[in-house]
Amino acid sequence: LLLLHMGILVLRCILSFVAQVVAAKRIAIVLSGLRRSFVYPLVYQNIWTHIVWPIVDVSEVFFALDFDHSGRKYTNYDQNTVDPTEWEKIIALFRPVYIARLLSSRDLSESLRVGRNLIEAREEIRGQRFLWIIRLRPDATYGKVLPPWSEWPISQVAKQLSVVWSTSIGGSCSRSIPRD
């Protein structure tokens, strides 16, 4: 009986810890668009160090990436020049919650919609909405580092802003998600 009681206490502690970790994840970061440039170390390492790393303890990452770029304008991307292990390195580094592999998406709105669906699915599982959603292009690099979570507006301020908070890096963060 004593062992059963101790087991229940341990289980409660574990569940409490898991609930705290989930509650601590306040930001959803979604990379949506064409994957072609994202697999280059210069690009994904920049996104990691400038955007994800400063808020890694309070964020979850989602990928809604189109793996097929054939027929796209202005592309000199050659999949054969990319080290196949780069994608594995990206997954290990970013640890995305969900990965949606799009094939021949019609346009950016499709990857945005899929990214939104991934976030909403995660929110349903968590039983809690993210306070902020950051949508990133997988082919962009950033010159400034995102401020740490401690410098972000508190949740009451975020609710008053409701739509957007412009950061010092020239981007924006939003709870609002583009709708179809």
Side-chain angles (χ1 to χ4, degrees), residues 48-71:
W48 172 259
T49 58
H50 288 66
I51 306 298
V52 179
W53 178 247
I55 55 174
V56 71
D57 293 335
V58 293
S59 62
E60 292 186 349
V61 177
F62 304 82
F63 290 167
L65 301 172
D66 190 337
F67 279 57
D68 181 15
H69 64 277
S70 58

PDB file of all heavy atoms in Angstrom, residues 48-71:
ATOM      1  N   TRP A  48      17.958  29.870 -36.638  1.00  0.00           N
ATOM      2  CA  TRP A  48      18.082  29.286 -35.299  1.00  0.00           C
ATOM      3  C   TRP A  48      18.686  30.290 -34.321  1.00  0.00           C
ATOM      4  O   TRP A  48      18.137  30.528 -33.254  1.00  0.00           O
ATOM      5  CB  TRP A  48      18.930  28.011 -35.344  1.00  0.00           C
ATOM      6  CG  TRP A  48      19.224  27.496 -33.977  1.00  0.00           C
ATOM      7  CD1 TRP A  48      20.390  27.645 -33.272  1.00  0.00           C
ATOM      8  CD2 TRP A  48      18.338  26.790 -33.109  1.00  0.00           C
ATOM      9  NE1 TRP A  48      20.275  27.071 -32.032  1.00  0.00           N
ATOM     10  CE2 TRP A  48      19.027  26.542 -31.907  1.00  0.00           C
ATOM     11  CE3 TRP A  48      17.027  26.347 -33.230  1.00  0.00           C
ATOM     12  CZ2 TRP A  48      18.457  25.866 -30.831  1.00  0.00           C
ATOM     13  CZ3 TRP A  48      16.456  25.673 -32.165  1.00  0.00           C
ATOM     14  CH2 TRP A  48      17.170  25.438 -30.984  1.00  0.00           C
ATOM     15  N   THR A  49      19.823  30.877 -34.667  1.00  0.00           N
ATOM     16  CA  THR A  49      20.522  31.754 -33.718  1.00  0.00           C
ATOM     17  C   THR A  49      19.817  33.086 -33.503  1.00  0.00           C
ATOM     18  O   THR A  49      19.849  33.621 -32.392  1.00  0.00           O
ATOM     19  CB  THR A  49      21.974  32.034 -34.177  1.00  0.00           C
ATOM     20  OG1 THR A  49      21.953  32.632 -35.472  1.00  0.00           O
ATOM     21  CG2 THR A  49      22.798  30.767 -34.201  1.00  0.00           C
ATOM     22  N   HIS A  50      19.169  33.622 -34.534  1.00  0.00           N
ATOM     23  CA  HIS A  50      18.574  34.947 -34.419  1.00  0.00           C
ATOM     24  C   HIS A  50      17.118  34.949 -33.956  1.00  0.00           C
ATOM     25  O   HIS A  50      16.666  35.918 -33.352  1.00  0.00           O
ATOM     26  CB  HIS A  50      18.681  35.682 -35.759  1.00  0.00           C
ATOM     27  CG  HIS A  50      20.062  36.124 -36.080  1.00  0.00           C
ATOM     28  ND1 HIS A  50      21.091  35.250 -36.319  1.00  0.00           N
ATOM     29  CD2 HIS A  50      20.591  37.361 -36.189  1.00  0.00           C
ATOM     30  CE1 HIS A  50      22.193  35.932 -36.573  1.00  0.00           C
ATOM     31  NE2 HIS A  50      21.925  37.207 -36.502  1.00  0.00           N
ATOM     32  N   ILE A  51      16.386  33.884 -34.242  1.00  0.00           N
ATOM     33  CA  ILE A  51      14.962  33.870 -33.925  1.00  0.00           C
ATOM     34  C   ILE A  51      14.597  32.800 -32.895  1.00  0.00           C
ATOM     35  O   ILE A  51      13.951  33.086 -31.891  1.00  0.00           O
ATOM     36  CB  ILE A  51      14.113  33.663 -35.201  1.00  0.00           C
ATOM     37  CG1 ILE A  51      14.464  34.696 -36.274  1.00  0.00           C
ATOM     38  CG2 ILE A  51      12.621  33.688 -34.864  1.00  0.00           C
ATOM     39  CD1 ILE A  51      14.207  36.143 -35.886  1.00  0.00           C
ATOM     40  N   VAL A  52      14.994  31.571 -33.131  1.00  0.00           N
ATOM     41  CA  VAL A  52      14.538  30.472 -32.261  1.00  0.00           C
ATOM     42  C   VAL A  52      15.305  30.424 -30.945  1.00  0.00           C
ATOM     43  O   VAL A  52      14.705  30.331 -29.867  1.00  0.00           O
ATOM     44  CB  VAL A  52      14.629  29.116 -33.011  1.00  0.00           C
ATOM     45  CG1 VAL A  52      14.184  27.977 -32.105  1.00  0.00           C
ATOM     46  CG2 VAL A  52      13.792  29.154 -34.277  1.00  0.00           C
ATOM     47  N   TRP A  53      16.613  30.468 -30.987  1.00  0.00           N
ATOM     48  CA  TRP A  53      17.418  30.298 -29.774  1.00  0.00           C
ATOM     49  C   TRP A  53      17.069  31.281 -28.656  1.00  0.00           C
ATOM     50  O   TRP A  53      16.956  30.877 -27.493  1.00  0.00           O
ATOM     51  CB  TRP A  53      18.914  30.351 -30.092  1.00  0.00           C
ATOM     52  CG  TRP A  53      19.751  30.234 -28.866  1.00  0.00           C
ATOM     53  CD1 TRP A  53      20.550  31.186 -28.322  1.00  0.00           C
ATOM     54  CD2 TRP A  53      19.848  29.100 -27.983  1.00  0.00           C
ATOM     55  NE1 TRP A  53      21.149  30.719 -27.172  1.00  0.00           N
ATOM     56  CE2 TRP A  53      20.731  29.440 -26.941  1.00  0.00           C
ATOM     57  CE3 TRP A  53      19.267  27.833 -27.987  1.00  0.00           C
ATOM     58  CZ2 TRP A  53      21.052  28.567 -25.914  1.00  0.00           C
ATOM     59  CZ3 TRP A  53      19.581  26.963 -26.957  1.00  0.00           C
ATOM     60  CH2 TRP A  53      20.461  27.332 -25.936  1.00  0.00           C
ATOM     61  N   PRO A  54      16.862  32.585 -28.938  1.00  0.00           N
ATOM     62  CA  PRO A  54      16.548  33.511 -27.839  1.00  0.00           C
ATOM     63  C   PRO A  54      15.263  33.170 -27.082  1.00  0.00           C
ATOM     64  O   PRO A  54      15.092  33.576 -25.936  1.00  0.00           O
ATOM     65  CB  PRO A  54      16.425  34.867 -28.535  1.00  0.00           C
ATOM     66  CG  PRO A  54      17.185  34.726 -29.797  1.00  0.00           C
ATOM     67  CD  PRO A  54      17.028  33.284 -30.209  1.00  0.00           C
ATOM     68  N   ILE A  55      14.365  32.411 -27.723  1.00  0.00           N
ATOM     69  CA  ILE A  55      13.080  32.083 -27.080  1.00  0.00           C
ATOM     70  C   ILE A  55      12.822  30.578 -27.056  1.00  0.00           C
ATOM     71  O   ILE A  55      11.689  30.137 -26.919  1.00  0.00           O
ATOM     72  CB  ILE A  55      11.912  32.817 -27.785  1.00  0.00           C
ATOM     73  CG1 ILE A  55      11.886  32.507 -29.283  1.00  0.00           C
ATOM     74  CG2 ILE A  55      11.981  34.321 -27.519  1.00  0.00           C
ATOM     75  CD1 ILE A  55      10.691  33.058 -30.025  1.00  0.00           C
ATOM     76  N   VAL A  56      13.873  29.793 -27.164  1.00  0.00           N
ATOM     77  CA  VAL A  56      13.726  28.333 -27.282  1.00  0.00           C
ATOM     78  C   VAL A  56      12.983  27.721 -26.092  1.00  0.00           C
ATOM     79  O   VAL A  56      12.238  26.763 -26.255  1.00  0.00           O
ATOM     80  CB  VAL A  56      15.095  27.651 -27.509  1.00  0.00           C
ATOM     81  CG1 VAL A  56      15.951  27.689 -26.257  1.00  0.00           C
ATOM     82  CG2 VAL A  56      14.918  26.232 -28.033  1.00  0.00           C
ATOM     83  N   ASP A  57      13.149  28.285 -24.905  1.00  0.00           N
ATOM     84  CA  ASP A  57      12.500  27.719 -23.716  1.00  0.00           C
ATOM     85  C   ASP A  57      11.005  27.995 -23.647  1.00  0.00           C
ATOM     86  O   ASP A  57      10.304  27.358 -22.869  1.00  0.00           O
ATOM     87  CB  ASP A  57      13.171  28.251 -22.442  1.00  0.00           C
ATOM     88  CG  ASP A  57      14.592  27.743 -22.293  1.00  0.00           C
ATOM     89  OD1 ASP A  57      14.913  26.671 -22.849  1.00  0.00           O
ATOM     90  OD2 ASP A  57      15.393  28.429 -21.628  1.00  0.00           O
ATOM     91  N   VAL A  58      10.531  28.937 -24.435  1.00  0.00           N
ATOM     92  CA  VAL A  58       9.113  29.296 -24.372  1.00  0.00           C
ATOM     93  C   VAL A  58       8.409  29.123 -25.714  1.00  0.00           C
ATOM     94  O   VAL A  58       7.331  29.670 -25.926  1.00  0.00           O
ATOM     95  CB  VAL A  58       8.922  30.749 -23.860  1.00  0.00           C
ATOM     96  CG1 VAL A  58       9.340  30.873 -22.409  1.00  0.00           C
ATOM     97  CG2 VAL A  58       9.656  31.734 -24.744  1.00  0.00           C
ATOM     98  N   SER A  59       9.027  28.382 -26.624  1.00  0.00           N
ATOM     99  CA  SER A  59       8.423  28.256 -27.954  1.00  0.00           C
ATOM    100  C   SER A  59       8.381  26.811 -28.432  1.00  0.00           C
ATOM    101  O   SER A  59       9.112  25.955 -27.931  1.00  0.00           O
ATOM    102  CB  SER A  59       9.196  29.113 -28.961  1.00  0.00           C
ATOM    103  OG  SER A  59      10.528  28.668 -29.068  1.00  0.00           O
ATOM    104  N   GLU A  60       7.513  26.588 -29.396  1.00  0.00           N
ATOM    105  CA  GLU A  60       7.446  25.323 -30.115  1.00  0.00           C
ATOM    106  C   GLU A  60       7.518  25.645 -31.599  1.00  0.00           C
ATOM    107  O   GLU A  60       6.962  26.649 -32.053  1.00  0.00           O
ATOM    108  CB  GLU A  60       6.151  24.566 -29.788  1.00  0.00           C
ATOM    109  CG  GLU A  60       6.113  24.065 -28.360  1.00  0.00           C
ATOM    110  CD  GLU A  60       4.905  23.185 -28.063  1.00  0.00           C
ATOM    111  OE1 GLU A  60       3.975  23.105 -28.894  1.00  0.00           O
ATOM    112  OE2 GLU A  60       4.891  22.591 -26.986  1.00  0.00           O
ATOM    113  N   VAL A  61       8.211  24.797 -32.351  1.00  0.00           N
ATOM    114  CA  VAL A  61       8.463  25.049 -33.767  1.00  0.00           C
ATOM    115  C   VAL A  61       7.623  24.106 -34.626  1.00  0.00           C
ATOM    116  O   VAL A  61       7.446  22.936 -34.295  1.00  0.00           O
ATOM    117  CB  VAL A  61       9.967  24.862 -34.089  1.00  0.00           C
ATOM    118  CG1 VAL A  61      10.240  25.049 -35.569  1.00  0.00           C
ATOM    119  CG2 VAL A  61      10.808  25.825 -33.254  1.00  0.00           C
ATOM    120  N   PHE A  62       7.127  24.636 -35.741  1.00  0.00           N
ATOM    121  CA  PHE A  62       6.328  23.890 -36.700  1.00  0.00           C
ATOM    122  C   PHE A  62       6.879  24.149 -38.090  1.00  0.00           C
ATOM    123  O   PHE A  62       7.264  25.272 -38.405  1.00  0.00           O
ATOM    124  CB  PHE A  62       4.864  24.352 -36.654  1.00  0.00           C
ATOM    125  CG  PHE A  62       4.240  24.252 -35.296  1.00  0.00           C
ATOM    126  CD1 PHE A  62       4.434  25.254 -34.345  1.00  0.00           C
ATOM    127  CD2 PHE A  62       3.467  23.164 -34.954  1.00  0.00           C
ATOM    128  CE1 PHE A  62       3.866  25.166 -33.085  1.00  0.00           C
ATOM    129  CE2 PHE A  62       2.890  23.061 -33.694  1.00  0.00           C
ATOM    130  CZ  PHE A  62       3.100  24.068 -32.759  1.00  0.00           C
ATOM    131  N   PHE A  63       6.891  23.126 -38.933  1.00  0.00           N
ATOM    132  CA  PHE A  63       7.317  23.265 -40.329  1.00  0.00           C
ATOM    133  C   PHE A  63       6.138  22.958 -41.247  1.00  0.00           C
ATOM    134  O   PHE A  63       5.525  21.898 -41.139  1.00  0.00           O
ATOM    135  CB  PHE A  63       8.433  22.276 -40.685  1.00  0.00           C
ATOM    136  CG  PHE A  63       9.764  22.538 -40.044  1.00  0.00           C
ATOM    137  CD1 PHE A  63      10.748  21.561 -40.093  1.00  0.00           C
ATOM    138  CD2 PHE A  63      10.071  23.732 -39.410  1.00  0.00           C
ATOM    139  CE1 PHE A  63      11.994  21.771 -39.523  1.00  0.00           C
ATOM    140  CE2 PHE A  63      11.314  23.957 -38.832  1.00  0.00           C
ATOM    141  CZ  PHE A  63      12.280  22.975 -38.895  1.00  0.00           C
ATOM    142  N   ALA A  64       5.828  23.883 -42.138  1.00  0.00           N
ATOM    143  CA  ALA A  64       4.856  23.661 -43.213  1.00  0.00           C
ATOM    144  C   ALA A  64       5.595  24.034 -44.498  1.00  0.00           C
ATOM    145  O   ALA A  64       5.497  25.149 -45.002  1.00  0.00           O
ATOM    146  CB  ALA A  64       3.610  24.515 -43.017  1.00  0.00           C
ATOM    147  N   LEU A  65       6.370  23.086 -44.997  1.00  0.00           N
ATOM    148  CA  LEU A  65       7.295  23.370 -46.087  1.00  0.00           C
ATOM    149  C   LEU A  65       6.942  22.596 -47.356  1.00  0.00           C
ATOM    150  O   LEU A  65       6.604  21.422 -47.299  1.00  0.00           O
ATOM    151  CB  LEU A  65       8.720  23.009 -45.658  1.00  0.00           C
ATOM    152  CG  LEU A  65       9.237  23.746 -44.424  1.00  0.00           C
ATOM    153  CD1 LEU A  65      10.568  23.165 -43.982  1.00  0.00           C
ATOM    154  CD2 LEU A  65       9.351  25.232 -44.700  1.00  0.00           C
ATOM    155  N   ASP A  66       7.064  23.293 -48.473  1.00  0.00           N
ATOM    156  CA  ASP A  66       6.845  22.671 -49.771  1.00  0.00           C
ATOM    157  C   ASP A  66       8.180  22.100 -50.238  1.00  0.00           C
ATOM    158  O   ASP A  66       9.158  22.824 -50.394  1.00  0.00           O
ATOM    159  CB  ASP A  66       6.328  23.697 -50.773  1.00  0.00           C
ATOM    160  CG  ASP A  66       5.847  23.062 -52.066  1.00  0.00           C
ATOM    161  OD1 ASP A  66       6.288  21.933 -52.382  1.00  0.00           O
ATOM    162  OD2 ASP A  66       5.046  23.694 -52.755  1.00  0.00           O
ATOM    163  N   PHE A  67       8.220  20.799 -50.443  1.00  0.00           N
ATOM    164  CA  PHE A  67       9.449  20.117 -50.830  1.00  0.00           C
ATOM    165  C   PHE A  67       9.651  20.098 -52.337  1.00  0.00           C
ATOM    166  O   PHE A  67      10.689  19.675 -52.814  1.00  0.00           O
ATOM    167  CB  PHE A  67       9.439  18.679 -50.295  1.00  0.00           C
ATOM    168  CG  PHE A  67       9.838  18.575 -48.853  1.00  0.00           C
ATOM    169  CD1 PHE A  67       9.155  19.267 -47.879  1.00  0.00           C
ATOM    170  CD2 PHE A  67      10.900  17.784 -48.478  1.00  0.00           C
ATOM    171  CE1 PHE A  67       9.526  19.177 -46.554  1.00  0.00           C
ATOM    172  CE2 PHE A  67      11.287  17.679 -47.149  1.00  0.00           C
ATOM    173  CZ  PHE A  67      10.598  18.379 -46.186  1.00  0.00           C
ATOM    174  N   ASP A  68       8.652  20.517 -53.101  1.00  0.00           N
ATOM    175  CA  ASP A  68       8.762  20.489 -54.560  1.00  0.00           C
ATOM    176  C   ASP A  68       8.808  21.917 -55.080  1.00  0.00           C
ATOM    177  O   ASP A  68       7.861  22.675 -54.931  1.00  0.00           O
ATOM    178  CB  ASP A  68       7.574  19.753 -55.172  1.00  0.00           C
ATOM    179  CG  ASP A  68       7.655  19.677 -56.687  1.00  0.00           C
ATOM    180  OD1 ASP A  68       8.741  19.937 -57.238  1.00  0.00           O
ATOM    181  OD2 ASP A  68       6.630  19.374 -57.311  1.00  0.00           O
ATOM    182  N   HIS A  69       9.904  22.309 -55.672  1.00  0.00           N
ATOM    183  CA  HIS A  69      10.050  23.659 -56.191  1.00  0.00           C
ATOM    184  C   HIS A  69      10.103  23.687 -57.718  1.00  0.00           C
ATOM    185  O   HIS A  69      10.341  24.722 -58.315  1.00  0.00           O
ATOM    186  CB  HIS A  69      11.321  24.296 -55.639  1.00  0.00           C
ATOM    187  CG  HIS A  69      12.549  23.577 -56.089  1.00  0.00           C
ATOM    188  ND1 HIS A  69      12.995  22.458 -55.452  1.00  0.00           N
ATOM    189  CD2 HIS A  69      13.373  23.792 -57.128  1.00  0.00           C
ATOM    190  CE1 HIS A  69      14.064  22.007 -56.091  1.00  0.00           C
ATOM    191  NE2 HIS A  69      14.316  22.794 -57.099  1.00  0.00           N
ATOM    192  N   SER A  70       9.878  22.553 -58.344  1.00  0.00           N
ATOM    193  CA  SER A  70       9.977  22.492 -59.809  1.00  0.00           C
ATOM    194  C   SER A  70       8.957  23.427 -60.451  1.00  0.00           C
ATOM    195  O   SER A  70       7.833  23.563 -59.984  1.00  0.00           O
ATOM    196  CB  SER A  70       9.757  21.057 -60.291  1.00  0.00           C
ATOM    197  OG  SER A  70       8.506  20.583 -59.864  1.00  0.00           O
ATOM    198  N   GLY A  71       9.391  24.075 -61.479  1.00  0.00           N
ATOM    199  CA  GLY A  71       8.520  24.988 -62.199  1.00  0.00           C
ATOM    200  C   GLY A  71       8.389  26.351 -61.561  1.00  0.00           C
ATOM    201  O   GLY A  71       7.644  27.198 -62.043  1.00  0.00           O
TER     202      GLY A  71
END
